[in-house]
């Protein structure tokens, strides 16, 4: 019994071993997939949401400052000598109120006067450390900068300034203008984002300095180079000047931290979104393990049913003959297995292999005029002639009806065509009435053949289709002939 069902036993063991190894591999792959999903989907989406929501709070001042710097009234007022100061104060006050800014300002390069919504604040001096930002902006190659600094016009409140360079109509620098918003307001806004998305969110400038972070990030350092884990990623983050997301990660206290970084050209800052992997993966891992256990149980039940089913049908399979009952040739089902093995052997040995599709000409007329018994005799006789005419290594099967399929191993197309032609000639010259008492008159039969050589990596269906096409050509051109497919 064990010998009889040994294959099934080995199959069961292989399936169980395969299932165990597959589930373990699936667990690892799923864990990595979750991590990849967070890195490439969740964090970027969070970054996009933060970017979209903060755009109206941070980027809008950039656009307002740009409009101010290109306003012909403002430029003409500076160029014409800054005569009526009330005009510019009124202008700045309206800009501040209309855009709900904490500050709006203008500094003329000619007079160095610092104008804001309440009048003239002071005169900028190149010897005053707190005024050095003006000269830095004057020498900028870009149109503007975003700067976190104290606002002298609002009791030294920490403020985010948009400093936009003003050029006259010939492109000469004539001053700086812009608006500002309080840093505390932005920190509170970022805190709300962090609470909502449950991730750390902060901004760094192009030197890696922390430009903006929430109030609850107490452990954050002043520069990326001073932050554990992020210090190794800092060069990669700061080298990116595209707004496309970067998917990064680092280790912190045995915890994997995923980072999504993107450059915001409108601000000149980098938006960083961090998330710990463990908290997100653990519940999913538990669910996944439960699913594995359920799947394993179901699979074992299915395997048991499969083994019982295989055992039930094994006897029927053993009784199923692999040969055609009339001609004692291989039947089509058995030939499929033989052909697949021969195809693999041919690919490994690099030896050519050909197939020949044989069809009896006008076989229906033989059945109609001579009877089906004579037709059966013709089929058996052709199978015997074919066996005698072919090599020992060649395989012939009854393909169906009056068709036979011949497999020629280690045989080129030229040689296969020659073998087919010899077989066709032998059949055409044979008197099929000599070996039967069913007919007294001479019975001549002809066949048409199609030959095709198996190409590299060609499927079974493809080579048979080409052989069938060649057979069709033989029939169309008068039958009793051999055609081959290139």
């Amino acid at each position: 019994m064990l010998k009889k069902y040994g294959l099934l036993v080995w199959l069961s063991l292989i399936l169980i071993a395969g299932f165990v190894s597959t589930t373990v591999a699936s667990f690892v792959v799923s864990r990595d997939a979750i991590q990849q999903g967070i890195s490439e989907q969740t964090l970027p989406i969070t970054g996009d949401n933060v970017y979209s929501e903060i755009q109206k709070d941070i980027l809008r001042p950039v656009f307002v400052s740009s409009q101010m710097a290109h306003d012909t009234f403002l430029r003409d007022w500076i160029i014409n000598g800054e005569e009526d100061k009330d005009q510019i104060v009124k202008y700045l006050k309206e800009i501040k109120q209309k855009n709900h800014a904490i500050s709006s300002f203008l500094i003329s390069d000619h007079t160095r006067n610092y104008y804001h919504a309440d009048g003239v604040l002071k005169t900028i001096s190149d010897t005053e450390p707190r005024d050095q930002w003006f000269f830095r902006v004057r020498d900028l190659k870009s149109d503007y900068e975003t700067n976190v600094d104290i606002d002298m016009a609002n009791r030294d409140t920490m403020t985010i300034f948009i400093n936009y360079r003003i050029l006259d109509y010939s492109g000469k620098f004539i001053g700086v203008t812009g608006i500002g918003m309080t840093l505390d307001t932005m920190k509170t806004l970022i805190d709300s984002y962090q609470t909502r998305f449950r991730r750390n969110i902060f901004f760094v400038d192009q030197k890696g300095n922390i430009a903006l972070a929430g109030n609850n990030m107490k452990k954050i350092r002043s520069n990326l180079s001073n932050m554990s884990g992020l210090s190794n990623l800092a060069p990669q983050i700061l080298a990116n000047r595209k707004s496309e997301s970067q998917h990064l990660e680092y280790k912190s206290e045995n915890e994997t931290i995923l980072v999504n970084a993107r450059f915001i050209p409108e601000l000149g800052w980098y938006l960083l979104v961090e998330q710990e992997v463990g908290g997100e993966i653990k519940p999913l891992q538990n669910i996944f393990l439960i699913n594995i256990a359920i799947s394993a149980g179901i699979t074992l039940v299915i395997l048991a049913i499969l083994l019982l089913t295989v055992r039930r049908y094994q006897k029927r399979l053993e009784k199923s003959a692999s040969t055609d009952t009339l001609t004692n040739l291989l039947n089509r089902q058995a030939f499929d297995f033989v052909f697949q093995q021969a195809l693999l052997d041919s690919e490994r040995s690099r030896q050519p292999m050909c197939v020949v599709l044989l069809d009896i000409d006008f076989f229906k007329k033989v059945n109609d005029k001579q009877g089906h018994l004579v037709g059966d005799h013709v089929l058996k006789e052709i199978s015997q002639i074919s066996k005698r005419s072919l090599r020992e290594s060649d395989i012939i099967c009854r393909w169906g009806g009056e068709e036979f399929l011949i497999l020629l191993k280690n045989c080129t197309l030229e040689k296969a065509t020659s073998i087919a032609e010899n077989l066709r000639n032998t059949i055409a010259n044979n008197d099929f009435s000599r070996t039967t008492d069913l007919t007294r008159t001479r019975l001549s039969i002809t066949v048409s053949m199609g030959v095709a050589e198996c190409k590299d990596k060609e499927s079974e269906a493809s080579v048979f289709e080409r052989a069938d096409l060649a057979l069709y050509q033989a029939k169309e051109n008068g039958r009793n002939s051999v055609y081959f497919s290139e």
Side-chain angles (χ1 to χ4, degrees):
M1 183 67 68
L2 181 62
K3 183 177 180 181
K4 183 176 182 181
Y5 294 102
L7 180 60
L8 292 179
V9 173
W10 280 109
L11 178 61
S12 301
L13 293 175
I14 292 172
L15 287 175
I16 293 172
F19 173 77
V20 172
S21 60
T22 301
T23 51
V24 172
S26 298
F27 179 81
V28 175
V29 170
S30 297
R31 181 193 62 194
D32 294 342
I34 293 171
Q35 182 170 323
Q36 183 179 4
I38 295 173
S39 175
E40 297 183 2
Q41 297 180 14
T42 307
L43 286 185
I45 289 173
T46 300
D48 291 341
N49 288 338
V50 172
Y51 176 77
S52 298
E53 293 200 21
I54 212 167
Q55 189 175 28
K56 62 179 180 295
D57 298 297
I58 293 183
L59 298 186
R60 190 169 182 274
V62 175
F63 302 136
V64 173
S65 300
S66 174
Q67 290 178 337
M68 293 171 66
H70 293 89
D71 194 322
T72 56
F73 163 75
L74 188 147
R75 289 191 291 176
D76 289 342
W77 186 83
I78 297 175
I79 294 171
N80 293 332
E82 308 172 31
E83 294 179 355
D84 188 350
K85 293 181 175 57
D86 291 337
Q87 283 187 327
I88 200 66
V89 170
K90 183 179 179 181
Y91 173 86
L92 293 174
K93 187 173 184 179
E94 184 177 356
I95 290 291
K96 175 184 174 181
Q97 293 175 348
K98 185 175 181 180
N99 295 281
H100 306 288
I102 190 175
S103 176
S104 59
F105 60 91
L106 166 67
I107 296 91
S108 167
D109 188 47
H110 177 65
T111 63
R112 301 290 171 83
N113 286 336
Y114 188 126
Y115 300 98
H116 67 108
D118 295 324
V120 179
L121 178 66
K122 60 179 292 189
T123 300
I124 297 292
S125 172
D126 55 6
T127 61
E128 171 61 48
R130 296 178 66 171
D131 295 339
Q132 294 306 307
W133 67 269
F134 173 80
F135 303 98
R136 181 183 69 246
V137 174
R138 182 186 64 181
D139 297 331
L140 281 178
K141 293 183 179 180
S142 58
D143 293 333
Y144 71 96
E145 72 166 10
T146 303
N147 185 39
V148 178
D149 202 351
I150 59 175
D151 186 359
M152 293 178 287
N154 288 282
R155 298 190 297 274
D156 287 350
T157 304
M158 291 300 295
T159 304
I160 301 176
F161 286 102
I162 308 299
N163 302 321
Y164 219 108
R165 302 172 76 246
I166 308 172
L167 306 178
D168 65 12
Y169 300 105
S170 61
K172 180 183 176 182
F173 176 81
I174 59 174
V176 178
T177 191
I179 61 175
M181 68 189 98
T182 59
L183 190 62
D184 288 340
T185 301
M186 293 311 305
K187 285 184 177 180
T188 303
L189 187 63
I190 291 179
D191 281 339
S192 69
Y193 295 156
Q194 291 181 151
T195 302
R196 188 190 316 170
F197 299 117
R198 292 182 298 173
R199 297 171 182 91
N200 291 333
I201 302 168
F202 56 98
F203 293 86
V204 298
D205 63 21
Q206 297 183 29
K207 294 182 180 180
N209 298 315
I210 307 304
L212 190 60
N215 293 315
N216 62 351
M217 293 186 67
K218 303 298 184 182
K219 297 181 180 179
I220 198 166
R221 304 295 178 85
S222 61
N223 192 284
L224 289 181
S225 60
N226 300 324
M227 299 174 66
S228 176
L230 276 175
S231 59
N232 297 326
L233 301 177
Q236 187 175 352
I237 293 174
L238 299 179
N240 180 37
R241 287 293 188 274
K242 298 180 180 179
S243 59
E244 298 175 355
S245 296
Q246 288 179 292
H247 311 303
L248 309 169
E249 66 177 75
Y250 67 90
K251 294 285 186 179
S252 176
E253 299 178 357
N254 298 322
E255 178 68 43
T256 299
I257 309 296
L258 300 180
V259 181
N260 180 263
R262 64 181 293 174
F263 182 66
I264 303 180
E266 296 88 346
L267 288 175
W269 289 353
Y270 294 88
L271 170 63
L272 273 66
V273 182
E274 289 185 338
Q275 180 176 353
E276 295 182 358
V277 176
E280 295 290 333
I281 290 183
K282 189 173 181 179
L284 295 176
Q285 287 177 333
N286 294 335
I287 295 174
F288 184 72
L289 289 174
I290 294 173
N291 289 337
I292 286 179
I294 295 173
S295 300
I298 294 175
T299 302
L300 290 175
V301 172
I302 293 175
L303 180 60
I305 295 173
L306 175 63
L307 292 176
L308 291 175
T309 304
V310 170
R311 181 178 178 181
R312 177 182 176 184
Y313 283 97
Q314 186 172 12
K315 293 181 181 180
R316 296 175 62 180
L317 291 174
E318 291 172 351
K319 293 179 181 179
S320 176
S322 62
T323 57
D324 176 64
T325 55
L326 179 64
T327 62
N328 287 325
L329 298 176
L330 287 177
N331 59 25
R332 186 165 182 169
Q333 182 179 2
F335 183 82
D336 285 339
F337 291 100
V338 174
F339 180 83
Q340 290 295 335
Q341 186 60 48
L343 195 60
L344 293 175
D345 293 340
S346 175
E347 290 177 355
R348 283 194 294 265
S349 62
R350 300 291 182 182
Q351 293 180 345
M353 185 174 72
C354 294
V355 295
V356 180
L357 194 57
L358 181 153
D359 184 86
I360 303 174
D361 296 332
F362 305 111
F363 183 70
K364 186 176 184 302
K365 291 183 178 180
V366 175
N367 280 330
D368 292 343
K369 292 183 178 180
Q370 305 287 341
H372 286 281
L373 291 178
V374 175
D376 291 344
H377 167 69
V378 170
L379 292 171
K380 290 189 286 186
E381 187 72 5
I382 287 180
S383 68
Q384 294 302 315
I385 294 173
S386 299
K387 285 183 178 180
R388 293 192 298 267
S389 302
L390 298 174
R391 303 169 301 176
E392 290 185 5
S393 61
D394 299 333
I395 301 171
I396 181 172
C397 83
R398 186 178 179 190
W399 195 243
E402 66 271 24
E403 288 186 333
F404 297 83
L405 188 63
I406 303 170
L407 178 64
L408 303 176
K409 299 180 180 179
N410 191 18
C411 186
T412 63
L413 181 62
E414 182 180 359
K415 187 175 181 181
T417 305
S418 176
I419 292 174
E421 180 60 30
N422 290 335
L423 176 59
R424 182 205 62 77
N425 188 59
T426 301
I427 293 173
N429 293 327
N430 182 67
D431 181 8
F432 286 78
S433 65
R434 291 186 300 104
T435 53
T436 181
D437 296 326
L438 297 174
T439 179
R440 299 295 182 181
T441 59
R442 179 181 176 84
L443 179 59
S444 296
I445 299 294
T446 62
V447 296
S448 300
M449 299 188 193
V451 185
E453 181 178 355
C454 297
K455 298 179 180 179
D456 187 31
K457 304 297 183 182
E458 187 177 22
S459 66
E460 179 180 355
S462 176
V463 67
F464 289 164
E465 183 179 356
R466 292 193 298 109
D468 188 60
L469 181 61
L471 174 62
Y472 177 80
Q473 291 176 331
K475 290 181 177 182
E476 285 294 303
N477 289 278
R479 292 182 170 80
N480 192 23
S481 58
V482 177
Y483 276 70
F484 61 87
S485 172
E486 292 288 351

